[in-house]
Amino acid sequence: MEDIVTVVVEFLAELQDRDSDELRMELEEASEELPVDSILIVEILTRIEERYGINIPADEEAARSTRSVRTFATTILKVINERKKP
């Protein structure tokens, strides 16, 4: 499976019309804070859900996870792994 952080950064770069490598470097230098507004978060969530066929719950944990790329990616990975369980 693709690295979820990479997928999130690629979607974010695409939505901001930026180079994904440059954005990733910028995020790493800034402790991977996710510099987006709520509209972009919704767009990224929609793309992630479509790509992986999952549904990210709109709960408190998901809301907190949008504060950093790594936390956001961890939340997405958790949902993907839970979906795989029988």
Side-chain angles (χ1 to χ4, degrees), residues 4 8 11 15 17 20 23 29-31 33-35 38 44 49 51 53 59 62 70 72 74 77 83 85:
I4 293 295
V8 171
F11 284 155
L15 292 167
D17 196 28
S20 61
L23 179 59
E29 289 172 2
S31 300
E33 290 301 309
L34 189 60
S38 58
I44 292 169
E49 288 175 341
R51 176 176 275 191
D59 59 15
R70 186 160 313 283
F72 185 57
T74 299
L77 190 57
R83 182 174 176 255
K85 291 180 183 176

Side-chain angles (χ1 to χ4, degrees), residues 27-65:
L27 292 169
E28 288 172 357
E29 289 172 2
S31 300
E32 298 194 12
E33 290 301 309
L34 189 60
V36 295
D37 61 27
S38 58
I39 294 171
L40 285 177
I41 287 294
V42 170
E43 182 65 29
I44 292 169
L45 277 172
T46 300
R47 289 176 182 216
I48 292 288
E49 288 175 341
E50 288 174 358
R51 176 176 275 191
Y52 294 102
I54 61 172
N55 183 24
I56 307 294
D59 59 15
E60 189 174 327
E61 179 184 354
R64 280 192 311 269
S65 77

Side-chain angles (χ1 to χ4, degrees), residues 12-27:
L12 179 57
E14 183 180 315
L15 292 167
Q16 294 182 339
D17 196 28
R18 298 181 60 188
D19 179 74
S20 61
D21 291 334
E22 288 177 14
L23 179 59
R24 186 174 189 121
M25 283 180 24
E26 181 181 313
L27 292 169

